[in-house]
């Protein structure tokens, strides 16, 4: 009876009943990789109902995530204009990106890092601060303030095309120009969205305004799951103020929500290149002042039809995103024993 419950041994596989299968005397053992493959298929067959329920998600994930990423990686080592058959050129696209693309090195990369460093951590910190402040309010008021902060992220495109473009319009009827002219702070209307000096700042402000999205809701939900008894125990152990409560109790107690919000902030920041196009109405911003990596990809893919090169830029962006996410996982992952 004990043999019926034995697990997979190094010498052989296991049948669905759990019996260890050893090779017959004199029969050579199967290669380790083959044994693992057989075990994998047996486990898949054993859990076939679970995989059946997962099939719709796995199919959608493969079609819209795995296959596009795989195709981008393949095209990144080719020269492809969208019409002729791709020509394999190896890593020449990546070499050209780092050594010959002046726009990328002079404008795109610095703009992307400046935008990401301010908007990413800035939006993340603001999301936590506003979530914490709303959590201190009475329950009857929380929903109204939550909706007020979350609404801009739902109406981002409409708000960009109506509110912000009107606010930064370059004529006298633009809201900002009208106010500044009325108070005598400027003598003539400013072309805010066409001036390279102001465009990046405006992009950062607008993105921060609309950054209270799913990550903000996750933090607000995480704050409501913190055990209030921990605060009482903390006061007994010597915690004296609210800041110490946040640092020693609140943040460690909601690490999963903090991690999820960090991932959403990274994704939202690195894909926010379309904001410059929405504000200015131009694919290429004046003086490349708002040119981010996503704009660089669109430039080479849809204006120049150099899809192989655009794929190489997208692969670099994917690698940067992956490295930042790995850092966030190390920072907020729940360690064993916590």
């Amino acid at each position: 009876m004990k043999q019926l419950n034995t697990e997979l041994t190094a010498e052989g596989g296991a049948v669905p009943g759990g019996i260890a299968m050893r090779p017959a005397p004199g029969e050579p053992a199967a290669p380790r990789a083959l044994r693992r493959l057989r075990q994998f298929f047996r486990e898949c067959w054993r859990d076939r109902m679970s995989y059946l329920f997962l099939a719709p998600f796995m199919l959608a994930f493969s079609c819209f995530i795995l296959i596009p990423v795989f195709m981008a990686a393949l095209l990144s080592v080719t020269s492809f204009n969208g019409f002729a058959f791709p020509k394999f050129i190896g890593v020449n696209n990546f070499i050209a990106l780092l050594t010959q693309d002046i726009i990328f090195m002079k404008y795109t990369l610095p703009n992307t890092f400046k935008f990401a460093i301010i908007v990413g951590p800035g939006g993340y910190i603001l999301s936590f601060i506003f979530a914490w402040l709303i959590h201190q309010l009475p329950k009857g008021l929380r929903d109204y303030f939550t909706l007020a902060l979350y609404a801009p992220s739902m109406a981002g495109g409409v708000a960009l095309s109506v509110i912000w473009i009107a606010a930064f319009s370059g004529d006298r009827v633009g809201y900002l120009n009208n106010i500044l002219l009325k108070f005598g702070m400027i003598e003539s209307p400013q072309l805010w969205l066409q001036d390279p000096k102001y465009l990046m700042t405006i992009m950062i402000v607008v993105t921060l305004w609309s950054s209270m999205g799913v990550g903000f809701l996750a933090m607000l939900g995480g704050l409501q799951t913190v055990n209030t008894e921990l605060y009482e125990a903390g006061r007994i152990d010597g915690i004296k103020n609210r800041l110490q409560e946040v640092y020693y109790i609140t943040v460690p107690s909601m690490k999963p929500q903090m991690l999820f919000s960090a991932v959403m902030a990274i994704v939202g920041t690195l894909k926010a290149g379309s904001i410059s196009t929405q504000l200015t109405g131009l694919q290429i911003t004046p003086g490349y002042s708002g040119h981010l990596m996503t704009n660089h990809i669109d430039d080479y893919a849809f204006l120049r039809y150099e899809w192989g090169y655009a794929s190489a830029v997208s692969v670099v962006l994917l690698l940067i995103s992956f490295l930042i996410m790995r850092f966030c996982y190390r920072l907020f992952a729940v360690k064993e024993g916590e």
Side-chain angles (χ1 to χ4, degrees), residues 210-226:
S210 60
S211 63
M212 304 298 163
V214 180
F216 161 73
L217 295 180
M219 288 188 181
L220 187 59
L223 287 167
Q224 297 176 9
T225 62
V226 178

Side-chain angles (χ1 to χ4, degrees), residues 187-258:
E187 297 180 357
S188 60
Q190 296 288 328
L191 299 174
W192 303 104
L193 298 177
Q194 284 72 38
D195 194 331
K197 293 188 299 183
Y198 305 116
L199 181 57
M200 177 59 71
T201 303
I202 294 173
M203 289 170 54
I204 291 172
V205 170
V206 173
T207 306
L208 286 175
W209 172 78
S210 60
S211 63
M212 304 298 163
V214 180
F216 161 73
L217 295 180
M219 288 188 181
L220 187 59
L223 287 167
Q224 297 176 9
T225 62
V226 178
N227 189 354
T228 55
E229 295 178 357
L230 295 176
Y231 295 113
E232 299 175 2
R235 295 188 190 98
I236 296 174
D237 290 339
I239 291 180
K240 300 178 181 179
N241 52 56
R242 304 300 291 273
L243 185 60
Q244 290 181 339
E245 283 184 355
V246 170
Y247 184 78
Y248 290 108
I249 298 176
T250 305
V251 173
S253 299
M254 49 180 292
K255 277 190 174 182
Q257 292 83 4
M258 299 289 286

Side-chain angles (χ1 to χ4, degrees), residues 282-323:
L282 303 171
Q283 188 67 46
I284 305 298
T285 54
Y288 292 97
S289 56
H291 201 68
L292 305 180
M293 289 191 72
T294 49
N295 300 113
H296 207 59
I297 295 170
D298 292 341
D299 178 19
Y300 277 90
F302 304 114
L303 297 181
R304 310 190 192 200
Y305 287 95
E306 297 183 20
W307 289 5
Y309 191 81
S311 298
V313 181
S314 66
V315 169
V316 172
L317 180 60
L318 178 64
L319 291 176
I320 294 174
S321 305
F322 174 76
L323 293 176

